[in-house]
Amino acid sequence: MFISLQDLNIMTKVDITIAICTYNRSRLLKKCLDSLLPQLSEEIEIIVIDNNSHDETADVTKVYTTNYQNIRYLFEKNIGLSHARNRGIKESKAEWILYIDDDAMAF
C-alpha cells in the first residue's frame, strides 16, 4: 500500500513563502489574509509572524491555521521588524520568500 505525504496531511516543500510580519494590527491582518486566500495553493505557504502583539493577532490567525494547513503562525518575542523578518527566513520551507505588510491587500 502506498501512502503519499498528502494523505498523511504533511506539508511538503513549497515554492513560495508569503511572510506577514505584524504587531498589534489584528483587524488589518484579517483583511490581508483574506486577500491572499484566493492565491493560496499547495506550492505557497503563508507565515504570520506575530512580533509580540498584545491584541487579538493570535486568535485571528488561529482561525486561518485551523482551516488551511499551509498557513502557519509564529510568535517572535524580540520586537522589531528585522527580528520578525529574520524569523520568517529561518522558518520558511521555500526557496523564495515574499513579504507583505499586514496593512496591504493582494489582488
Side-chain angles (χ1 to χ4, degrees):
M1 176 182 204
F2 176 77
I3 299 175
S4 72
L5 293 176
Q6 289 176 336
D7 293 336
L8 294 174
N9 201 23
I10 297 173
M11 186 179 214
T12 59
K13 182 158 174 60
V14 295
D15 295 326
I16 298 171
T17 295
I18 301 173
I20 308 168
C21 302
T22 188
Y23 177 71
N24 288 335
R25 296 175 114 183
S26 59
R27 276 193 255 146
L28 294 171
L29 176 62
K30 182 181 180 330
K31 292 179 182 180
C32 179
L33 285 166
D34 286 342
S35 76
L36 291 168
L37 290 180
Q39 300 175 56
L40 200 57
S41 70
E42 290 181 10
E43 295 82 25
I44 298 172
E45 73 170 344
I46 296 173
I47 300 175
V48 176
I49 302 109
D50 180 352
N51 202 203
N52 208 3
S53 297
H54 302 289
D55 64 356
E56 293 79 32
T57 296
D59 295 332
V60 167
T61 308
K62 185 175 183 178
V63 172
Y64 295 90
T65 59
T66 300
N67 293 309
Y68 299 92
Q69 74 175 33
N70 48 349
I71 299 179
R72 296 188 289 142
Y73 170 84
L74 304 171
F75 183 82
E76 175 54 52
K77 66 178 180 171
N78 296 315
I79 297 175
L81 185 56
S82 61
H83 290 291
R85 285 191 173 172
N86 286 335
R87 180 74 184 275
I89 291 168
K90 180 180 177 185
E91 300 286 342
S92 172
K93 295 180 180 178
E95 183 176 345
W96 295 94
I97 302 172
L98 308 174
Y99 288 97
I100 185 167
D101 291 337
D102 54 7
D103 63 348
M105 293 176 55
F107 295 99

